[in-house]
Short mmCIF file of all heavy atoms in Angstrom, two decimals:
data_model
loop_
_atom_site.label_atom_id
_atom_site.label_comp_id
_atom_site.label_asym_id
_atom_site.label_seq_id
_atom_site.Cartn_x
_atom_site.Cartn_y
_atom_site.Cartn_z
N GLU A 1 0.13 7.54 -6.90
CA GLU A 1 -0.25 8.91 -6.55
C GLU A 1 -1.75 9.02 -6.29
O GLU A 1 -2.19 9.71 -5.35
CB GLU A 1 0.18 9.87 -7.67
CG GLU A 1 1.70 10.03 -7.79
CD GLU A 1 2.09 10.86 -8.99
OE1 GLU A 1 1.20 11.14 -9.84
OE2 GLU A 1 3.28 11.24 -9.08
N ALA A 2 -2.56 8.34 -7.09
CA ALA A 2 -4.01 8.36 -6.88
C ALA A 2 -4.36 7.67 -5.56
O ALA A 2 -5.28 8.09 -4.84
CB ALA A 2 -4.71 7.68 -8.04
N PHE A 3 -3.64 6.60 -5.23
CA PHE A 3 -3.85 5.88 -3.97
C PHE A 3 -3.64 6.81 -2.77
O PHE A 3 -4.46 6.87 -1.85
CB PHE A 3 -2.89 4.69 -3.93
CG PHE A 3 -2.92 3.89 -2.66
CD1 PHE A 3 -3.86 2.90 -2.47
CD2 PHE A 3 -1.99 4.12 -1.66
CE1 PHE A 3 -3.88 2.14 -1.30
CE2 PHE A 3 -2.00 3.38 -0.49
CZ PHE A 3 -2.95 2.38 -0.32
N VAL A 4 -2.54 7.54 -2.78
CA VAL A 4 -2.23 8.46 -1.68
C VAL A 4 -3.22 9.61 -1.64
O VAL A 4 -3.68 10.03 -0.58
CB VAL A 4 -0.78 8.96 -1.81
CG1 VAL A 4 -0.48 10.01 -0.74
CG2 VAL A 4 0.20 7.80 -1.70
N THR A 5 -3.60 10.14 -2.82
CA THR A 5 -4.52 11.27 -2.88
C THR A 5 -5.91 10.89 -2.38
O THR A 5 -6.56 11.67 -1.66
CB THR A 5 -4.61 11.79 -4.32
OG1 THR A 5 -3.29 12.17 -4.76
CG2 THR A 5 -5.53 13.00 -4.41
N ASP A 6 -6.40 9.71 -2.74
CA ASP A 6 -7.72 9.27 -2.28
C ASP A 6 -7.75 9.16 -0.75
O ASP A 6 -8.74 9.55 -0.12
CB ASP A 6 -8.08 7.93 -2.91
CG ASP A 6 -8.34 8.05 -4.41
OD1 ASP A 6 -8.53 9.19 -4.88
OD2 ASP A 6 -8.35 7.00 -5.09
N LEU A 7 -6.70 8.63 -0.16
CA LEU A 7 -6.65 8.54 1.29
C LEU A 7 -6.63 9.94 1.92
O LEU A 7 -7.31 10.21 2.91
CB LEU A 7 -5.43 7.75 1.74
CG LEU A 7 -5.48 6.22 1.53
CD1 LEU A 7 -4.11 5.62 1.77
CD2 LEU A 7 -6.49 5.60 2.48
N ALA A 8 -5.83 10.83 1.35
CA ALA A 8 -5.73 12.19 1.89
C ALA A 8 -7.06 12.91 1.80
O ALA A 8 -7.37 13.76 2.64
CB ALA A 8 -4.64 12.96 1.15
N GLY A 9 -7.87 12.58 0.79
CA GLY A 9 -9.17 13.22 0.66
C GLY A 9 -10.09 12.90 1.83
O GLY A 9 -11.01 13.68 2.13
N TYR A 10 -9.85 11.78 2.51
CA TYR A 10 -10.62 11.43 3.69
C TYR A 10 -9.83 11.70 4.98
O TYR A 10 -10.21 11.23 6.05
CB TYR A 10 -11.01 9.95 3.65
CG TYR A 10 -12.12 9.65 2.67
CD1 TYR A 10 -11.84 9.39 1.34
CD2 TYR A 10 -13.45 9.64 3.08
CE1 TYR A 10 -12.87 9.12 0.43
CE2 TYR A 10 -14.48 9.37 2.19
CZ TYR A 10 -14.17 9.12 0.86
OH TYR A 10 -15.19 8.85 -0.04
N GLY A 11 -8.75 12.46 4.87
CA GLY A 11 -7.95 12.78 6.04
C GLY A 11 -7.20 11.61 6.61
O GLY A 11 -6.99 11.52 7.82
N LEU A 12 -6.75 10.67 5.74
CA LEU A 12 -6.08 9.46 6.18
C LEU A 12 -4.73 9.31 5.51
O LEU A 12 -4.50 9.86 4.42
CB LEU A 12 -6.93 8.22 5.88
CG LEU A 12 -8.32 8.13 6.53
CD1 LEU A 12 -9.08 6.94 5.98
CD2 LEU A 12 -8.22 8.03 8.05
N VAL A 13 -3.85 8.57 6.14
CA VAL A 13 -2.60 8.13 5.53
C VAL A 13 -2.47 6.64 5.80
O VAL A 13 -3.03 6.10 6.75
CB VAL A 13 -1.38 8.88 6.11
CG1 VAL A 13 -1.40 10.34 5.70
CG2 VAL A 13 -1.33 8.75 7.63
N CYS A 14 -1.72 5.96 4.96
CA CYS A 14 -1.53 4.51 5.06
C CYS A 14 -0.19 4.23 5.72
O CYS A 14 0.85 4.73 5.25
CB CYS A 14 -1.60 3.86 3.68
SG CYS A 14 -1.36 2.07 3.70
N THR A 15 -0.20 3.45 6.79
CA THR A 15 1.04 3.07 7.46
C THR A 15 1.39 1.60 7.25
O THR A 15 2.52 1.20 7.52
CB THR A 15 0.94 3.34 8.97
OG1 THR A 15 -0.17 2.62 9.51
CG2 THR A 15 0.73 4.83 9.24
N THR A 16 0.43 0.80 6.79
CA THR A 16 0.69 -0.61 6.46
C THR A 16 -0.06 -0.93 5.18
O THR A 16 -1.27 -0.70 5.10
CB THR A 16 0.23 -1.56 7.57
OG1 THR A 16 0.89 -1.20 8.79
CG2 THR A 16 0.56 -2.99 7.23
N VAL A 17 0.65 -1.44 4.19
CA VAL A 17 0.04 -1.72 2.89
C VAL A 17 0.35 -3.16 2.50
O VAL A 17 1.45 -3.67 2.77
CB VAL A 17 0.53 -0.73 1.82
CG1 VAL A 17 2.03 -0.88 1.59
CG2 VAL A 17 -0.23 -0.90 0.52
N LEU A 18 -0.62 -3.81 1.88
CA LEU A 18 -0.44 -5.14 1.32
C LEU A 18 -0.31 -5.00 -0.19
O LEU A 18 -1.19 -4.44 -0.84
CB LEU A 18 -1.62 -6.04 1.68
CG LEU A 18 -1.59 -7.45 1.09
CD1 LEU A 18 -0.45 -8.26 1.71
CD2 LEU A 18 -2.92 -8.16 1.33
N ILE A 19 0.80 -5.48 -0.74
CA ILE A 19 1.06 -5.39 -2.18
C ILE A 19 0.94 -6.78 -2.77
O ILE A 19 1.66 -7.70 -2.35
CB ILE A 19 2.44 -4.78 -2.47
CG1 ILE A 19 2.51 -3.35 -1.91
CG2 ILE A 19 2.73 -4.79 -3.96
CD1 ILE A 19 3.85 -2.68 -2.11
N GLU A 20 0.05 -6.93 -3.74
CA GLU A 20 -0.15 -8.19 -4.42
C GLU A 20 0.20 -8.03 -5.90
O GLU A 20 -0.15 -7.01 -6.51
CB GLU A 20 -1.61 -8.66 -4.29
CG GLU A 20 -2.02 -8.97 -2.86
CD GLU A 20 -3.45 -9.44 -2.76
OE1 GLU A 20 -4.19 -9.25 -3.76
OE2 GLU A 20 -3.84 -10.00 -1.72
N VAL A 21 0.87 -9.03 -6.43
CA VAL A 21 1.30 -9.01 -7.84
C VAL A 21 0.77 -10.27 -8.51
O VAL A 21 0.95 -11.38 -7.99
CB VAL A 21 2.84 -8.96 -7.94
CG1 VAL A 21 3.27 -8.97 -9.40
CG2 VAL A 21 3.38 -7.70 -7.24
N ASP A 22 0.11 -10.08 -9.65
CA ASP A 22 -0.46 -11.19 -10.41
C ASP A 22 0.35 -11.45 -11.66
O ASP A 22 0.82 -10.51 -12.33
CB ASP A 22 -1.91 -10.89 -10.82
CG ASP A 22 -2.86 -10.90 -9.63
OD1 ASP A 22 -2.41 -11.29 -8.54
OD2 ASP A 22 -4.02 -10.50 -9.79
N THR A 23 0.50 -12.73 -11.97
CA THR A 23 1.08 -13.15 -13.25
C THR A 23 0.18 -14.22 -13.83
O THR A 23 -0.29 -15.11 -13.11
CB THR A 23 2.51 -13.71 -13.06
OG1 THR A 23 2.46 -14.84 -12.20
CG2 THR A 23 3.44 -12.66 -12.49
N ASP A 24 -0.09 -14.12 -15.12
CA ASP A 24 -0.94 -15.09 -15.82
C ASP A 24 -2.32 -15.22 -15.15
O ASP A 24 -2.90 -16.31 -15.05
CB ASP A 24 -0.28 -16.47 -15.88
CG ASP A 24 0.98 -16.45 -16.74
OD1 ASP A 24 1.05 -15.59 -17.65
OD2 ASP A 24 1.88 -17.27 -16.50
N GLY A 25 -2.81 -14.10 -14.60
CA GLY A 25 -4.14 -14.08 -14.03
C GLY A 25 -4.27 -14.68 -12.64
O GLY A 25 -5.39 -14.81 -12.13
N SER A 26 -3.16 -15.02 -11.98
CA SER A 26 -3.22 -15.59 -10.63
C SER A 26 -2.19 -14.90 -9.75
O SER A 26 -1.21 -14.31 -10.23
CB SER A 26 -2.96 -17.10 -10.66
OG SER A 26 -1.68 -17.38 -11.20
N LEU A 27 -2.40 -14.98 -8.43
CA LEU A 27 -1.52 -14.30 -7.48
C LEU A 27 -0.15 -14.96 -7.48
O LEU A 27 -0.02 -16.17 -7.27
CB LEU A 27 -2.14 -14.36 -6.08
CG LEU A 27 -1.35 -13.67 -4.97
CD1 LEU A 27 -1.27 -12.17 -5.22
CD2 LEU A 27 -2.01 -13.94 -3.62
N ALA A 28 0.89 -14.14 -7.71
CA ALA A 28 2.25 -14.66 -7.74
C ALA A 28 3.02 -14.34 -6.47
O ALA A 28 3.79 -15.16 -5.98
CB ALA A 28 3.00 -14.09 -8.95
N THR A 29 2.84 -13.15 -5.93
CA THR A 29 3.54 -12.76 -4.72
C THR A 29 2.69 -11.77 -3.95
O THR A 29 1.97 -10.95 -4.53
CB THR A 29 4.92 -12.15 -5.03
OG1 THR A 29 5.52 -11.70 -3.81
CG2 THR A 29 4.80 -10.98 -5.98
N SER A 30 2.75 -11.87 -2.63
CA SER A 30 2.00 -10.98 -1.75
C SER A 30 2.85 -10.70 -0.53
O SER A 30 3.44 -11.62 0.06
CB SER A 30 0.67 -11.62 -1.34
OG SER A 30 0.00 -10.82 -0.39
N ARG A 31 2.92 -9.42 -0.15
CA ARG A 31 3.74 -9.06 1.02
C ARG A 31 3.16 -7.84 1.71
O ARG A 31 2.65 -6.93 1.05
CB ARG A 31 5.18 -8.79 0.61
CG ARG A 31 6.06 -8.38 1.79
CD ARG A 31 7.52 -8.49 1.51
NE ARG A 31 8.31 -8.07 2.65
CZ ARG A 31 9.63 -8.15 2.74
NH1 ARG A 31 10.31 -8.68 1.74
NH2 ARG A 31 10.28 -7.73 3.81
N ARG A 32 3.23 -7.85 3.03
CA ARG A 32 2.75 -6.73 3.85
C ARG A 32 3.95 -5.85 4.20
O ARG A 32 4.96 -6.32 4.72
CB ARG A 32 2.08 -7.25 5.11
CG ARG A 32 1.50 -6.19 6.01
CD ARG A 32 0.79 -6.82 7.20
NE ARG A 32 -0.39 -7.57 6.78
CZ ARG A 32 -0.46 -8.87 6.66
NH1 ARG A 32 0.61 -9.61 6.92
NH2 ARG A 32 -1.56 -9.48 6.28
N TRP A 33 3.82 -4.57 3.90
CA TRP A 33 4.89 -3.60 4.16
C TRP A 33 4.41 -2.57 5.18
O TRP A 33 3.26 -2.16 5.16
CB TRP A 33 5.29 -2.87 2.87
CG TRP A 33 5.84 -3.76 1.80
CD1 TRP A 33 5.13 -4.42 0.84
CD2 TRP A 33 7.21 -4.09 1.58
NE1 TRP A 33 5.97 -5.14 0.03
CE2 TRP A 33 7.27 -4.95 0.46
CE3 TRP A 33 8.40 -3.75 2.21
CZ2 TRP A 33 8.46 -5.46 -0.04
CZ3 TRP A 33 9.59 -4.25 1.71
CH2 TRP A 33 9.61 -5.10 0.60
N MET A 34 5.32 -2.15 6.07
CA MET A 34 5.03 -1.11 7.04
C MET A 34 5.98 0.06 6.85
O MET A 34 7.06 -0.09 6.26
CB MET A 34 5.14 -1.66 8.46
CG MET A 34 4.18 -2.77 8.77
SD MET A 34 4.29 -3.31 10.47
CE MET A 34 4.31 -5.09 10.22
N HIS A 35 5.59 1.21 7.36
CA HIS A 35 6.39 2.42 7.20
C HIS A 35 6.52 3.10 8.56
O HIS A 35 5.55 3.12 9.33
CB HIS A 35 5.71 3.38 6.20
CG HIS A 35 6.64 4.44 5.67
ND1 HIS A 35 6.95 5.57 6.39
CD2 HIS A 35 7.31 4.53 4.50
CE1 HIS A 35 7.78 6.31 5.67
NE2 HIS A 35 8.02 5.71 4.53
N PRO A 36 7.70 3.66 8.89
CA PRO A 36 7.84 4.33 10.19
C PRO A 36 6.95 5.56 10.32
O PRO A 36 6.62 5.96 11.44
CB PRO A 36 9.32 4.70 10.24
CG PRO A 36 9.78 4.71 8.82
CD PRO A 36 8.95 3.68 8.12
N ARG A 37 6.58 6.19 9.18
CA ARG A 37 5.67 7.34 9.24
C ARG A 37 4.41 7.01 8.44
O ARG A 37 3.44 6.53 8.96
CB ARG A 37 6.36 8.59 8.70
CG ARG A 37 7.60 9.00 9.51
CD ARG A 37 8.10 10.36 9.09
NE ARG A 37 7.16 11.39 9.47
CZ ARG A 37 7.06 12.56 8.83
NH1 ARG A 37 7.83 12.79 7.79
NH2 ARG A 37 6.21 13.47 9.23
N TRP A 38 4.43 7.26 7.13
CA TRP A 38 3.33 6.90 6.25
C TRP A 38 3.84 6.84 4.83
O TRP A 38 4.86 7.42 4.48
CB TRP A 38 2.16 7.89 6.39
CG TRP A 38 2.52 9.34 6.26
CD1 TRP A 38 2.97 10.17 7.25
CD2 TRP A 38 2.49 10.13 5.07
NE1 TRP A 38 3.21 11.42 6.77
CE2 TRP A 38 2.92 11.43 5.42
CE3 TRP A 38 2.14 9.88 3.74
CZ2 TRP A 38 3.01 12.47 4.51
CZ3 TRP A 38 2.24 10.91 2.83
CH2 TRP A 38 2.66 12.18 3.22
N PHE A 39 3.10 6.11 3.99
CA PHE A 39 3.53 5.84 2.62
C PHE A 39 3.18 7.01 1.71
O PHE A 39 2.02 7.45 1.66
CB PHE A 39 2.86 4.57 2.08
CG PHE A 39 3.48 3.31 2.57
CD1 PHE A 39 2.87 2.55 3.57
CD2 PHE A 39 4.69 2.86 2.06
CE1 PHE A 39 3.43 1.39 4.03
CE2 PHE A 39 5.27 1.69 2.51
CZ PHE A 39 4.65 0.95 3.50
N GLY A 40 4.18 7.48 0.98
CA GLY A 40 3.97 8.37 -0.15
C GLY A 40 4.04 7.57 -1.44
O GLY A 40 4.30 6.37 -1.44
#
């Protein structure tokens, strides 16, 4: 929710997001996601 609100504060929405997940202090999985409109 803070991620979406910060973007909206600058008049922006996110249509492509990179999600990274760490386990044991190192990157375990990373994937790029797209949305037909914008991410809530």
Side-chain angles (χ1 to χ4, degrees):
E1 291 174 349
F3 176 84
V4 175
T5 302
D6 291 344
L7 286 169
Y10 285 86
L12 299 173
V13 292
C14 179
T15 58
T16 303
V17 64
L18 177 67
I19 298 178
E20 296 180 345
V21 179
D22 290 351
T23 60
D24 294 333
S26 60
L27 181 64
T29 176
S30 174
R31 178 163 179 174
R32 182 177 293 102
W33 299 88
M34 299 183 226
H35 197 281
R37 299 190 68 206
W38 51 274
F39 282 104

